[in-house]
Structures are given as C-alpha cells and as structure tokens.
Amino acid sequence: MEGLDAASLLDLHRRMVRIRVFETEAGRLMESGDLPGFLHLYVGQEAVAAGALATLTDADQITSTHRGHGHAVAKGAGFRKMFAELFGRVDGYCHGRGGSMHINDLSIGMLGANGIVGAGLPIAVGAAFAARYRGDGSIAMTFFGDGASNIGAFHEAANMAAVLQLPVVFVCENNGYAEFTAQARHMRLDDVADRAAAYGMPSEVCDGMDAVAVRQACRRAVDRARAGEGPSLVEAKTYRYYDHQGVKGLRKPYRTQEEIDAWKARDAIELLEARAAADGVVDAAEFARVWEETRADAVDAIAFARASPLPDPATLTRDVYTD
C-alpha cells in the first residue's frame, strides 16, 4: 500500500483500532449512565489521529480539542489512566480532576485536550517557539475543526507561526460540521486549507478516511517543519459517526441517515484492512489479533478504573494557583 511496509501498516491499524475500541466502550458506558459529564467521541475520524501522529516522536508536542480522546490514544496514552480519568478517579491522568476534555501526558508530548474551541492553537504555537528556542529538533502539531478556523485564535496563531517561521503543523479535522452547523452554513469556502495562503504558509488537502493518505500529507508537513522551513496546514476531510456529544446526543436531527451511511461505507479501518490484505502485505489474522488484544486491554482498563478510588475532597485546592 503506497510503499508502506507491514510494520508501518500495522502501526496505523493498531492506533485506529485502539481509538475505535476505547471510544466505543466510552460511549457505551456513558449511555448506560456509568460515566459522568460529557463525551465528544472520535469514532469515524480515527485515520486522522493515527496518520498524523505516526509521523511524530514522544519529544514532539501536540494540542488537542474537546474531541480529544483519539489524539491521546494515538500519541500513546494508556487505557487504564484514560478510563480512570473519565470515571473521575484518582488514578486518571489528571487524578480525576480533568475528565474527558482535559487529558494530558507530558511524557509523550500530549499537552492536553481543551474544552474551549480553538484554544489549543496558540498553545501549540508557543510549544513550537519553545522547541526552536531549545534547538532540540522537536516540533508541535495542533488539531482543530472546520468551525474552529472561524475563531480569532486560529488566525492569530497562524499569523504568528508564519511570521516567526515556527516548526508547527496545523491539522484541520474537517468533519463537515461545527457542532450542529454544516460547513456551507458557517463559511463560504469549500476548503479550510485555502485560509493558509493568507498567512503565507503552504497547505494540503487529504482524504481523512485514509490513514495512509493522512500519514503522507503530515509527513511532508512535519519534514518541512523539522527542516526549519516553517509552518504548514493539512486539512483532512473526515466524518464523525456519532452526534456532536455522546452517541445519541440531543436527538435533534441535522444529518440524514443516508449521509451517515455513505461515510460509514468508507470506514478507514475497513479500508486499510481490505487494501493491505488484497496487496498481500499484512495477513488478516494479524489484524484480528490487534482487535482481540485491544478489546482485552479495554476490559482490563475499565475494571481498573472502577476499582480506583474517588478523589479526597480534602485535596480540592491542590494544583490550583493564584497570584
């Protein structure tokens, strides 16, 4: 497949399967009332996180969105601590204090998800500035949606990154909707990537349902950033299978079932499995093994999270700062 070896394809597949299983289980737990708070699920968009983050190292830093579980998993976050955080338990990544939209792990370069639309963009620019200052060869990558490209923070971040020639990659996960609003109703552009030209940076549009295509596009942008050539924008056209929030959401129809089914027919995981098997690069049994191992990992992690204690109210003000 496009010159990728078996190890690279299995890496992409494993990242996507881990996201799919984690999110499916999280959605199930939320619908059953076992998980508190809100969940913005990443099911359907797995190819973007998998393809993009396959191009980075642990030293490279990323910022995420309110739909951030997929980025955390693809960057290497563990199921146990992620589920514990969703359950609000002390063994979670934020010790049960952050929940779904604030998972971070600095050891793998995950600077955190963010409940504020577009807020991760300037943080990533700051991380890229720090990387260049240190001179350690690392870069930053920031994820955002089509709706966030209308936010002032996007334009400020893009302009500063371009002016300072910072090593940052802007990845727009264009799933066609800003919450419940179709792209055609909130902008006059077909491609968010066109906005990059206004700041003097190159851009590329790729198929966000094809992990290999995303990997290739992001590899070009990452290589450019590491070479000191400044920022780039990659727009991945993708789709979320579930509602904006949760699985069933507010139950207000704003998409047709025909539209959802058409995108599901192009499922990224099924596409990679079918193409790799047809090309004889990866045996179907290896893909099956990944699914089995990942499902077992989820079962273990959920049990771990349920057994983890709730935070002690006496620690409520810990890690809260003021000046």
Side-chain angles (χ1 to χ4, degrees), residues 33-311:
D34 286 351
L35 284 184
F38 291 91
L39 289 183
H40 300 82
L41 299 172
Y42 199 77
V43 176
Q45 300 183 198
E46 292 89 351
V48 185
L53 297 178
T55 67
L56 302 185
T57 70
D58 286 350
D60 298 319
Q61 297 181 310
I62 71 167
T63 61
S64 183
T65 71
H66 57 280
R67 201 176 307 283
H69 305 160
H71 307 134
V73 171
K75 196 71 165 70
F79 276 11
R80 279 190 165 195
K81 295 180 74 173
M82 285 194 66
F83 272 116
E85 189 60 38
L86 264 59
F87 272 98
R89 306 303 176 91
V90 297
D91 292 310
Y93 272 109
C94 301
H95 309 297
R97 299 169 182 274
S100 169
M101 288 186 279
H102 299 92
I103 290 174
N104 69 81
D105 184 353
L106 302 186
S107 70
I108 58 173
M110 174 64 179
L111 296 183
N114 205 307
I116 302 172
V117 173
L121 289 152
I123 296 172
V125 170
F129 184 91
R132 191 177 69 180
Y133 185 83
R134 292 191 304 267
D136 60 8
S138 67
I139 71 161
M141 179 178 284
T142 182
F143 294 88
F144 61 100
D146 51 300
S149 72
N150 295 326
I151 298 293
F154 164 77
H155 301 279
E156 294 167 355
N159 187 63
M160 179 172 283
V163 169
L164 299 179
Q165 286 292 92
L166 297 177
V168 57
V169 177
F170 295 84
V171 179
C172 177
E173 300 185 274
N174 188 347
N175 62 23
Y177 290 88
E179 295 191 354
F180 308 101
T181 306
Q183 180 183 341
R185 296 185 59 198
H186 69 75
M187 69 173 68
R188 297 297 297 271
L189 297 173
D190 291 327
D191 297 326
V192 173
D194 290 347
R195 290 184 157 163
Y199 303 103
M201 75 170 75
S203 64
E204 182 173 350
V205 179
C206 65
D207 182 359
M209 305 301 283
D210 183 341
V212 175
V214 175
R215 184 181 187 272
Q216 291 174 331
C218 287
R219 171 57 65 195
R220 287 186 281 271
V222 166
D223 288 349
R224 184 174 184 275
R226 289 202 202 282
E229 298 174 11
S232 305
L233 189 154
V234 175
E235 178 183 2
K237 306 281 192 180
T238 186
Y239 199 78
R240 54 176 163 81
Y241 294 171
Y242 295 152
D243 209 339
H244 166 66
Q245 191 278 132
V247 176
K248 299 176 183 177
L250 299 177
R251 295 170 174 82
K252 287 187 176 182
Y254 58 97
R255 307 184 296 180
T256 66
Q257 190 60 47
E258 290 75 18
E259 176 182 296
I260 297 170
D261 291 343
W263 280 93
K264 284 185 175 181
R266 300 181 55 232
D267 185 79
I269 301 176
E270 294 177 1
L271 171 67
L272 187 142
E273 289 178 345
R275 287 169 59 185
D279 292 346
V281 182
V282 179
D283 187 86
E286 293 185 79
F287 289 139
R289 190 177 307 113
V290 171
W291 282 103
E292 181 180 358
E293 292 173 353
T294 305
R295 289 185 176 116
D297 192 9
V299 170
D300 166 77
I302 293 169
F304 171 84
R306 289 187 187 277
S308 177
L310 290 165

